[in-house]
Amino acid sequence: MKILAIEKEIKPVVWENESQTLIEEAHSVYNMMLSGDLREVYFTESKHAVLILECENRIAAKQLLAKLPLVMKGIIEFDVMELQPYTGLTRLMDCDR
């Protein structure tokens, strides 16, 4: 199942003081990509991470994200949503022409 995870900061942080944590975070993200759990990763214009995960369900995604160093330090958390297939195109197949 595809999962959308959008990061939000829990508390203000001086990122310059977290350089080692950011390196650890990058290693974790890389390993998640290698395992196939993380399919895509982006930053928004305000530098919040947006992840597309491939997990069994929302609970598995939350467990995976909980292992990220920035999450473990209580700096960030994620809004996690299951993505469902778009079914709107079926309306076109049902219409009379």
Side-chain angles (χ1 to χ4, degrees), residues 82-94:
E82 292 181 356
L83 298 177
Q84 305 294 323
Y86 177 70
T87 58
L89 295 177
T90 59
R91 293 181 201 103
L92 298 176
M93 303 305 146
D94 293 336

Side-chain angles (χ1 to χ4, degrees), residues 41-58:
V41 60
Y42 304 96
F43 279 124
T44 65
E45 57 200 31
S46 57
K47 300 295 182 198
H48 291 100
V50 177
L51 286 67
I52 303 293
L53 303 164
E54 188 69 40
C55 294
E56 185 179 336
N57 53 41
R58 192 168 172 253

Side-chain angles (χ1 to χ4, degrees), residues 18-93:
E18 295 295 338
S19 59
Q20 184 58 41
T21 307
L22 292 171
I23 291 169
E24 293 168 9
E25 186 83 359
H27 278 279
S28 294
V29 166
Y30 179 65
N31 287 328
M32 287 170 61
M33 291 186 95
L34 288 177
S35 72
D37 293 323
L38 176 60
R39 298 302 180 121
E40 301 174 47
V41 60
Y42 304 96
F43 279 124
T44 65
E45 57 200 31
S46 57
K47 300 295 182 198
H48 291 100
V50 177
L51 286 67
I52 303 293
L53 303 164
E54 188 69 40
C55 294
E56 185 179 336
N57 53 41
R58 192 168 172 253
I59 294 167
K62 285 186 169 193
Q63 291 170 342
L64 183 65
L65 294 168
K67 298 176 185 174
L68 290 170
L70 291 172
V71 174
M72 289 192 301
K73 285 187 84 171
I75 295 172
I76 66 169
E77 62 185 10
F78 286 89
D79 287 330
V80 179
M81 297 156 264
E82 292 181 356
L83 298 177
Q84 305 294 323
Y86 177 70
T87 58
L89 295 177
T90 59
R91 293 181 201 103
L92 298 176
M93 303 305 146

